Amino acid sequence: MFYMFFCLFLVAGFQISAGLVNNHPQQIHISSGSSNQMIIVWNTFVDTKESIVFYGMAKGKMDSLANGTTTKFVDGGPAHHTQWVHEVILDDLKADTFYFYMVGSPKYGMSDVLNLKTWPSGENWSPSLAIYGDLGNLNAQSLPRLQFDVAQGMYDAILHVGDFAYNMASENAQVGDEFMRQIEPLASSIPYMTCPGNHEVAYNFSNYKHRFRMPGDKDQRMYYSFKMGPVRFISTSTEFIFFPQLGLIPVFGHYDWLKKELEDANKAENRAKQPWVITFGHRPMYCSNSDNDDCSHSESVIRTGIMGHLGWEKLFYDNGVDIALWAHEHSYERLWPIYNRKVRNGSYDNPYTNPLAPVHIITGSPGCWSKHDPFNKTMPSWSAFRTQDYGYTRMKVYNSTHLYMEQVSDDKGGAVVDKVMVVKDKHGSYPYDPTPIKPMEEGSEMFRKLQHLINHYKRTMSSKRK
């Protein structure tokens, strides 16, 4: 205890005399994969040589200390903007408990006192989440309302489904710095769980890889899973197949991992603990937008794959994915339960009670500089509701059978403009459907591009074996 206050005294004196804001911790955010763990990350613009967290269950009793690691991050832009990313893992926390904490270096500077709350243990509790993708540094319209929600204790976590800042690498990564400071009021108090989007691609996703630390993703693969009460969340990367010039091994590696992860989640013993299997990834399989994105095509790459391989829809169907969350389109759209472009409602009167296929939600409209994405004039039969309002999605998983989602419109002052209760008496694989999924059209530009790269990859691997 004496050491902590002595260190804080040194901090105050050093900061007043030197005024070196570059030493001060910033961009603080947390993630988690269990009830007793928090991963705390922050940045400094000089190497403070230390990554320390003081924490405890009262402001005046932050007498626990944890050390972490520091990684130098040099942005790929012409200025080679440099900063140090600090990571500390707290893995001795009590479940369902409030903690106060400070991060930084006792010699160079500590943060303000922040707080977080760990998740309850086990499976029998009801997680609440805010969900969105495509939140920009400019025109982040929904951010104040989200901050108010978080301050009221409404959520246990946030899912950010790709596309950050627009873009984190812009202006030599200074836009990324500003964005991370913008979300700090949210991300420093509840786990901010992420997946990459297409706007993170600069310098092989380096800003995303360095800024975010997710549980189980130590190798920066950009995909992972975590368990939260009665849910197994599976975070995917839709981007590998769209940027194969960055390497084809990740395309196949990610697909193999996803297949194994879904099969494991669908095992009877695992479904008994986490009956809900929810995926989130940036680019959707389906959408009714008129912007010519992949999801607007009948046979999208994410859904059907390439040359009969690497498609995700059959994986999701065979392994009983309950909810698939997406973004990318700057709008909100809820689909009827769907497989292979056919509506699979539970019944006419109760389509989301025991649905016969996954439920897809696209939520990419919290606000960014590029504004809204328009819809096709004709609404397809598989689309249940859609809106261009700025806003975000809330999810409440009540128990093993009931899951509720609603869409908040920031344009309409926080009004709920859509809501759905998904009810499932039993979770698992959907009824066998022998109808083959139509592959992507061979004449499309994306098909030719991927075919060329895959053939090149095969020739390269063949020559290496020789």
Side-chain angles (χ1 to χ4, degrees), residues 187-366:
S188 64
S189 59
I190 59 174
Y192 201 86
M193 313 303 290
T194 65
C195 69
N198 56 297
H199 278 270
E200 283 68 73
V201 70
Y203 317 118
N204 196 10
F205 298 89
S206 64
N207 268 266
Y208 177 84
K209 290 177 179 178
H210 282 88
R211 293 181 187 275
F212 293 105
R213 300 287 194 275
M214 295 295 117
D217 191 21
K218 292 183 178 180
D219 297 329
Q220 297 181 325
R221 300 178 303 177
M222 301 192 294
Y223 49 88
Y224 60 97
S225 71
F226 64 98
K227 298 169 184 174
M228 188 181 188
V231 184
R232 183 187 292 210
F233 284 102
I234 300 176
S235 174
T236 66
S237 174
T238 58
E239 301 312 301
F240 294 128
I241 200 165
F242 290 95
F243 299 103
Q245 65 271 26
L246 298 176
L248 284 170
I249 291 177
V251 176
F252 294 98
H254 178 257
Y255 180 85
D256 289 343
W257 173 87
L258 180 58
K259 184 175 184 292
K260 292 175 183 176
E261 184 71 24
L262 288 170
E263 289 171 348
D264 184 67
N266 197 38
K267 290 177 180 177
E269 61 270 26
N270 293 330
R271 281 278 180 168
K273 294 179 179 180
Q274 275 79 38
W276 295 98
V277 175
I278 300 176
T279 64
F280 61 104
H282 185 61
R283 301 197 203 210
M285 292 184 190
Y286 297 91
C287 69
S288 64
N289 299 85
S290 60
D291 51 13
N292 201 36
D293 281 345
D294 179 60
C295 57
S296 67
H297 302 153
S298 294
E299 282 68 54
S300 66
V301 175
I302 293 297
R303 191 174 78 81
T304 68
I306 174 69
M307 294 185 285
H309 302 286
L310 306 175
W312 291 10
E313 186 172 39
K314 193 172 188 302
L315 279 185
F316 283 23
Y317 186 81
D318 289 348
N319 292 288
V321 169
D322 298 294
I323 311 289
L325 302 169
W326 314 96
H328 192 59
E329 304 305 313
H330 299 170
S331 53
Y332 167 82
E333 187 165 17
R334 168 173 55 86
L335 276 59
W336 300 116
I338 188 171
Y339 175 65
N340 206 6
R341 301 188 63 81
K342 295 180 181 178
V343 173
R344 306 294 180 95
N345 291 346
S347 67
Y348 182 84
D349 294 325
N350 297 291
Y352 296 99
T353 296
N354 296 316
L356 300 175
V359 176
H360 294 252
I361 300 287
I362 302 164
T363 175
S365 59

Side-chain angles (χ1 to χ4, degrees), residues 41-63:
V41 178
W42 69 95
N43 292 24
T44 57
F45 292 128
V46 297
D47 185 4
T48 61
K49 309 296 183 184
E50 291 180 304
S51 302
I52 291 177
V53 175
F54 292 109
Y55 61 104
M57 287 179 276
K59 270 190 178 181
K61 198 176 181 182
M62 293 184 291
D63 49 7

Side-chain angles (χ1 to χ4, degrees), residues 10 15 47 55 59 76 116 120 136 166-167 169 171 215 219-220 261 294 338 354 360 364 374 381 407 412-413 444 457:
L10 289 178
Q15 288 182 320
D47 185 4
Y55 61 104
K59 270 190 178 181
L116 57 83
Y166 287 81
N167 299 319
E171 297 181 23
D219 297 329
Q220 297 181 325
E261 184 71 24
D294 179 60
I338 188 171
N354 296 316
H360 294 252
S381 61
Q407 181 67 10
K412 292 182 173 64
S444 69
Y457 171 78

Side-chain angles (χ1 to χ4, degrees), residues 56-178:
M57 287 179 276
K59 270 190 178 181
K61 198 176 181 182
M62 293 184 291
D63 49 7
S64 296
L65 180 152
N67 287 280
T69 60
T70 305
T71 304
K72 185 178 181 180
F73 169 41
V74 182
D75 175 63
H80 302 299
H81 178 48
T82 301
Q83 53 193 294
W84 280 260
V85 182
H86 306 263
E87 177 185 6
V88 175
I89 300 176
L90 308 182
D91 54 10
D92 62 346
L93 304 178
K94 294 182 178 180
D96 199 16
T97 301
F98 279 101
Y99 283 88
F100 296 90
Y101 73 100
M102 299 176 71
V103 309
S105 160
K107 182 178 179 181
Y108 288 102
M110 299 293 294
S111 71
D112 294 336
V113 177
L114 303 166
N115 63 79
L116 57 83
K117 184 177 182 293
T118 55
W119 297 335
S121 60
E123 298 82 43
N124 297 318
W125 62 282
S126 303
S128 295
L129 302 97
I131 306 163
Y132 53 83
D134 302 78
L135 179 64
N137 169 240
L138 298 176
N139 191 34
Q141 181 175 315
S142 299
L143 190 56
R145 194 173 302 281
L146 282 160
Q147 290 177 347
F148 184 79
D149 284 358
V150 170
Q152 301 300 304
M154 289 182 63
Y155 309 123
D156 300 295
I158 289 175
L159 303 186
H160 189 141
V161 192
D163 278 8
F164 305 77
Y166 287 81
N167 299 319
M168 289 194 290
S170 297
E171 297 181 23
N172 293 294
Q174 293 185 67
V175 170
D177 296 337
E178 179 60 31

